[in-house]
Amino acid sequence: MQEEKDIIENVFTKASIKSFEEQINTVPENYFNQFPAQILSKIQQKKKPSLIIQLGKFSIAAAFLLIVAGSYFLATIKSTKENTSIAIHEIPTEEIDSYVSNNEWMIDAEMQSEINKLGLNLEENKQSKDSID
Amino acid sequence: MQSDQIIIKAFQAGVQKELQFTELVKRHQQKLYYQIKRMVIEHADADDIAQTVWIKVWEKLDGFKLESEFSTWLFRIGYNETINFIQKKKKIPFVSTEEEESNPLKQNTDTHELQPAQIQIKLDQAIKQLPEKQRFVFMLRYYEEMAYEKIAEIMQTSVGGAKANFHQALKKMQEFIQID
């Protein structure tokens, strides 16, 4: 080590090497006293995400929730529809019969109105045929 | 005084992390800063790099395996950051034309006849013209009196490689004096 130092000091002199080191050692006042606190505050700042990042994260979370909720809603509607059509097929015949007998008067009324309509049509047809003749 | 290892273990266990970290900074900040400044010369640049290094230390200290000395690990981060900085900004310090014109060395080239101020300038220039690796080894060896083994560990090279870098640096500096 000393041999290496001697070579360097022979070339440049001890004084100039010392002077270079003095130039390097010159720092602003209190620099080293303030440095640890300065670093810690930078680390704290890095830990806290900025408002934009926070909002960004929030909006991503909201969009995700919306997609999940929407998909669930659509799936529920679809399954309800499927359940309904299955239910019709599965209604027992006795139940249909009882529904019909209970609502017979309605069916009669519907049939009567259909007959009336047909009668009117027939009469109109007859009249038009007579006028042609 | 607690060893670096005890402080690091406490940090890794989550015991008053900021306090442990501050203690490490206080212990090692000066040596790290000076080594960086010997490479980049300007205080503002050295400060920027030193801050980046310490922030990286905070981020990576939990994963530090204590297989090497903390100072070796710290200097390795410092070395990488300094080299990155120099390469990125191409900020290899140089003497401006104006400075060169008024440079007393231009009037006198024999080092034996140089005034102390002239030798100082000559030394600055000789150091600045060294490639980064050689400059880094030269500074650690001469000013920190660091063993080649540790220098090799920091620079992730062989001991022979570190020695070769130092001797090449010496040779280039001698040549610089003779040629100029």
Side-chain angles (χ1 to χ4, degrees), chain A residues 12-58:
Chain A
F12 294 106
T13 76
K14 246 182 180 175
S16 68
I17 291 167
K18 204 182 161 194
S19 167
F20 174 79
E21 195 57 3
E22 277 169 5
Q23 175 194 330
I24 294 301
N25 289 355
T26 309
V27 290
E29 218 181 317
N30 280 326
Y31 174 68
F32 290 120
N33 291 336
Q34 291 163 354
F35 189 78
Q38 200 184 335
I39 283 294
L40 273 181
S41 103
K42 281 216 164 183
I43 289 165
Q44 296 302 335
Q45 275 175 10
K46 265 196 131 186
K47 273 190 194 170
K48 282 183 201 162
S50 72
L51 188 64
I52 294 167
I53 291 169
Q54 275 180 328
L55 282 176
K57 278 183 184 170
F58 195 72

Side-chain angles (χ1 to χ4, degrees), chain A residues 1-28 31-40 42-44 46-47, chain B residues 18 21-22 25-26 29-30 33-34 37-38 41 43 46-47 50-51 54-55 58-59 111 116 119-120 122-124 126-127 138-139 141-143 145 148 166-167 170 173-174 177:
Chain A
M1 181 71 226
Q2 194 50 49
E3 197 186 324
E4 289 167 351
K5 280 200 153 190
D6 289 342
I7 297 169
I8 298 163
E9 285 158 14
N10 251 339
V11 178
F12 294 106
T13 76
K14 246 182 180 175
S16 68
I17 291 167
K18 204 182 161 194
S19 167
F20 174 79
E21 195 57 3
E22 277 169 5
Q23 175 194 330
I24 294 301
N25 289 355
T26 309
V27 290
Y31 174 68
F32 290 120
N33 291 336
Q34 291 163 354
F35 189 78
Q38 200 184 335
I39 283 294
L40 273 181
K42 281 216 164 183
I43 289 165
Q44 296 302 335
K46 265 196 131 186
K47 273 190 194 170
Chain B
E18 291 179 0
F21 181 74
T22 304
V25 177
K26 279 182 185 168
Q29 61 173 339
Q30 294 199 17
Y33 168 85
Y34 290 138
K37 199 176 173 192
R38 285 182 200 119
I41 310 295
H43 165 74
D47 181 46
Q51 287 191 28
W54 282 110
I55 289 169
W58 171 275
E59 289 168 349
T111 47
I119 297 170
Q120 179 57 50
K122 195 90 179 165
L123 173 68
D124 284 4
I127 288 170
F138 177 82
M139 297 301 179
R141 185 74 182 150
Y142 185 81
Y143 289 105
E145 299 189 357
Y148 281 120
F166 181 79
H167 288 287
L170 264 185
M173 287 168 86
Q174 280 174 315
I177 295 289

Side-chain angles (χ1 to χ4, degrees), chain A:
Chain A
M1 181 71 226
Q2 194 50 49
E3 197 186 324
E4 289 167 351
K5 280 200 153 190
D6 289 342
I7 297 169
I8 298 163
E9 285 158 14
N10 251 339
V11 178
F12 294 106
T13 76
K14 246 182 180 175
S16 68
I17 291 167
K18 204 182 161 194
S19 167
F20 174 79
E21 195 57 3
E22 277 169 5
Q23 175 194 330
I24 294 301
N25 289 355
T26 309
V27 290
E29 218 181 317
N30 280 326
Y31 174 68
F32 290 120
N33 291 336
Q34 291 163 354
F35 189 78
Q38 200 184 335
I39 283 294
L40 273 181
S41 103
K42 281 216 164 183
I43 289 165
Q44 296 302 335
Q45 275 175 10
K46 265 196 131 186
K47 273 190 194 170
K48 282 183 201 162
S50 72
L51 188 64
I52 294 167
I53 291 169
Q54 275 180 328
L55 282 176
K57 278 183 184 170
F58 195 72
S59 60
I60 288 167
F64 178 74
L65 276 176
L66 208 67
I67 289 165
V68 170
S71 313
Y72 178 75
F73 181 68
L74 287 173
T76 312
I77 288 174
K78 201 182 169 191
S79 78
T80 311
K81 275 184 184 172
E82 277 168 8
N83 288 343
T84 311
S85 66
I86 288 164
I88 289 165
H89 290 296
E90 285 172 355
I91 296 171
T93 320
E94 296 82 38
E95 218 169 291
I96 297 171
D97 287 345
S98 105
Y99 177 81
V100 171
S101 61
N102 285 339
N103 297 286
E104 219 168 338
W105 62 273
M106 269 181 70
I107 293 165
D108 285 344
E110 276 173 20
M111 276 178 74
Q112 193 57 52
S113 85
E114 286 299 314
I115 288 164
N116 290 345
K117 269 186 204 170
L118 275 169
L120 273 173
N121 284 344
L122 279 171
E123 213 157 294
E124 275 171 16
N125 284 344
K126 202 182 168 188
Q127 279 175 1
S128 63
K129 206 179 169 188
D130 288 346
S131 64
I132 293 164
D133 289 338

